[in-house]
Amino acid sequence: MLVRLAYDGAAFFGWAIQPGMKTVQGDLEEALSMIVRRPIRTVVAGRTDAGVHARGQVVHFDLTPAEIAALNRGKDITAEYALTRRLNGILKRSSSGAVVIHESRKAPRGFDARFSALWRRYSYRIADSTVDLDPLARHYTHNVGTELDVDLLNHEAQSVLGHHDFLSFCKPRERATTLRTLQDFRFVRGSDGYLTVHLQADAFCHNMVRTLIGTALMVGEGKEPVGWLAHRLEAQVRDSKTKLAPPHPLVLEQVQYPVDEELEARANQTRAKRAPLGNVEA
């Protein structure tokens, strides 16, 4: 089964199950287990850190034909609709509405939420000194005390686009690759004065999104010289000179997949290219 969901990450200690911690995966798998009456393990498109949100998260998991047939409990509704409704009913209670299931359906042949993905897209909201701060948005906005030059920030962002080893911007995992293709990285000032950062890549390794943003802001705030991102990329070292942006404004917006006929080939290609593959997370 394939499920698309959204969540407010402020309520959780990240996506992945952790002993004694409330996580999105923990709540979702507990809800699934209540419905089918056995343990269910999900595979996610992108594991998000504590405090990070999602509007377009995707997971898959395996159910038997008998379990799928029983989802509607004999009612005149589809199994997919029944699963969405039942999951939302349980999650509304367990997460106080912080997790919402938008769609449930049978996954196409060869689909893998993680390995079939073509790209992931994130957004990040920033307020600088040029805007009147909205206290109602403080939980989803990074407030910067200086005025930011969007052209300068975009100059830095463009210098790291493409296929590179992003070791300097990732928290390395044992035996995991840090090779990624960064397809989009730009800062856009909206009509309200707030900045939105857009990032898209075939995948993101651990902390990559927040580190790219944090390092760019070091230039934007005048703490580092122009060309700092390119310099850090070339350095190929993870150290204290690289800054991690706060997690609370970060949102996983979308995960894109190929047409159904190409899902299995894409998954196989990704496994071969990234074996062993590190975590896909922000």
Side-chain angles (χ1 to χ4, degrees):
M1 296 294 290
L2 181 161
V3 167
R4 298 184 186 273
L5 67 154
Y7 49 85
D8 180 347
F12 302 96
F13 289 90
W15 165 266
I17 290 176
Q18 302 177 58
M21 300 290 190
K22 187 175 181 63
T23 67
V24 185
Q25 184 182 21
D27 272 22
L28 177 60
E29 291 185 2
E30 183 177 350
L32 287 166
S33 298
M34 290 176 63
I35 292 172
V36 300
R37 301 186 182 281
R38 69 172 175 87
I40 296 291
R41 181 49 54 96
T42 58
V43 176
V44 70
R47 284 200 277 178
T48 49
D49 291 339
V52 177
H53 320 286
R55 289 192 180 94
Q57 184 65 276
V58 181
V59 302
H60 85 257
F61 49 89
D62 296 328
L63 298 182
T64 67
E67 287 169 341
I68 294 174
L71 288 173
N72 63 6
R73 295 184 288 189
K75 297 180 181 178
D76 188 23
I77 55 176
T78 65
E80 292 85 352
Y81 176 73
L83 179 59
T84 298
R85 189 169 71 176
R86 293 177 69 181
L87 281 174
N88 277 329
I90 297 170
L91 291 167
K92 184 177 181 179
R93 296 189 298 271
S94 66
S95 70
S96 300
V99 181
V100 175
I101 307 299
H102 289 312
E103 178 190 20
S104 302
R105 62 184 176 94
K106 293 181 181 179
R109 178 180 175 83
F111 177 82
D112 186 295
R114 179 183 182 186
F115 291 108
S116 294
L118 292 172
W119 47 258
R120 287 92 171 159
R121 179 169 59 85
Y122 283 85
S123 70
Y124 192 94
R125 194 166 190 255
I126 300 171
D128 66 1
S129 62
T130 67
V131 301
D132 293 328
L133 297 180
D134 179 0
L136 302 182
R138 69 190 186 280
H139 298 301
Y140 308 100
T141 306
H142 178 34
N143 295 330
V144 177
T146 58
E147 181 177 352
L148 296 173
D149 183 332
V150 175
D151 290 336
L152 174 61
L153 290 170
N154 282 323
H155 177 272
E156 290 296 304
Q158 290 168 15
S159 71
V160 293
L161 290 176
H163 184 71
H164 305 286
D165 187 338
F166 284 92
L167 175 62
S168 299
F169 302 98
C170 297
K171 185 177 180 180
R173 299 285 189 176
E174 185 179 357
R175 299 184 302 112
T177 179
T178 49
L179 292 171
R180 296 291 187 268
T181 302
L182 185 60
Q183 301 161 343
D184 187 20
F185 183 17
R186 55 195 164 91
F187 292 74
V188 178
R189 191 180 293 276
S191 58
D192 58 359
Y194 284 79
L195 280 76
T196 301
V197 192
H198 301 277
L199 300 99
Q200 181 178 305
D202 57 344
F204 292 94
C205 46
H206 192 202
N207 288 157
M208 180 175 165
V209 176
R210 291 167 56 202
T211 307
L212 283 169
I213 295 170
T215 307
L217 288 177
M218 293 174 74
V219 179
E221 295 178 81
K223 298 176 181 177
E224 296 294 346
V226 175
W228 182 241
L229 255 73
H231 173 73
R232 295 303 297 162
L233 179 68
E234 185 178 355
Q236 292 290 291
V237 59
R238 172 82 177 193
D239 56 28
S240 60
K241 294 180 180 180
T242 304
K243 183 178 180 181
L244 195 63
H248 62 281
L250 185 58
V251 181
L252 173 58
E253 296 284 357
Q254 184 182 1
V255 182
Q256 183 66 35
Y257 295 92
V259 295
D260 290 357
E261 294 77 16
E262 298 175 5
L263 287 167
E264 188 169 10
R266 171 63 181 180
N268 291 335
Q269 178 189 45
T270 305
R271 289 190 186 97
K273 182 178 179 181
R274 301 195 183 281
L277 181 69
N279 292 316
V280 183
E281 54 187 297

